[in-house]
Amino acid sequence: MAVTAGRGCAGLAVLVGCVPALVGAALVSAYRGALPPQAVVGTDTPFGNTAMFQLAGWYLRGPLGALVTTGPALALVLLHRGPAPAAVAGWLAAAGAAHLWWAHHTARRLHRT
């Protein structure tokens, strides 16, 4: 719809291509299960306790995974340094498939216990 209104750009197509990876990341976050007690306690190191980093990793692993896998493609396209559109589409399809597989694996593991 944005393309027909004259507001489309190459980044819009990449954002649409990111949808499967973002849905997979949301499903990974939804099926993460109960917070492990060792994440709240953390580990004492000479630099401090690691509980804050463990909690952030627990809650942000799905969104960070989607950002790491789809962010470079979007940045390259927006900077006009991107590879061929077919390569970007293949990258985003692989990222989406990987995230959906991760969500499936996480949900199966959660419901097995």
Side-chain angles (χ1 to χ4, degrees):
M1 181 177 280
V3 174
T4 59
R7 294 189 182 114
C9 64
L12 182 64
V14 174
L15 284 176
V16 171
C18 292
V19 168
L22 296 174
V23 168
L27 289 172
V28 166
S29 293
Y31 286 111
R32 70 178 162 248
L35 180 67
Q38 64 267 20
V40 177
V41 175
T43 304
D44 287 324
T45 66
F47 300 105
N49 196 306
T50 62
M52 177 180 62
F53 301 110
Q54 289 179 355
L55 287 172
W58 178 256
Y59 284 111
L60 295 176
R61 65 183 175 175
L64 284 178
L67 181 65
V68 165
T69 56
T70 60
L74 183 60
L76 286 175
V77 169
L78 290 177
L79 293 173
H80 303 293
R81 296 184 185 142
V88 173
W91 174 263
L92 293 176
H99 278 281
L100 292 174
W101 175 84
W102 186 20
H104 173 74
H105 177 71
T106 303
R108 297 271 303 182
R109 186 186 46 155
L110 179 65
H111 290 294
R112 241 185 272 157
T113 59

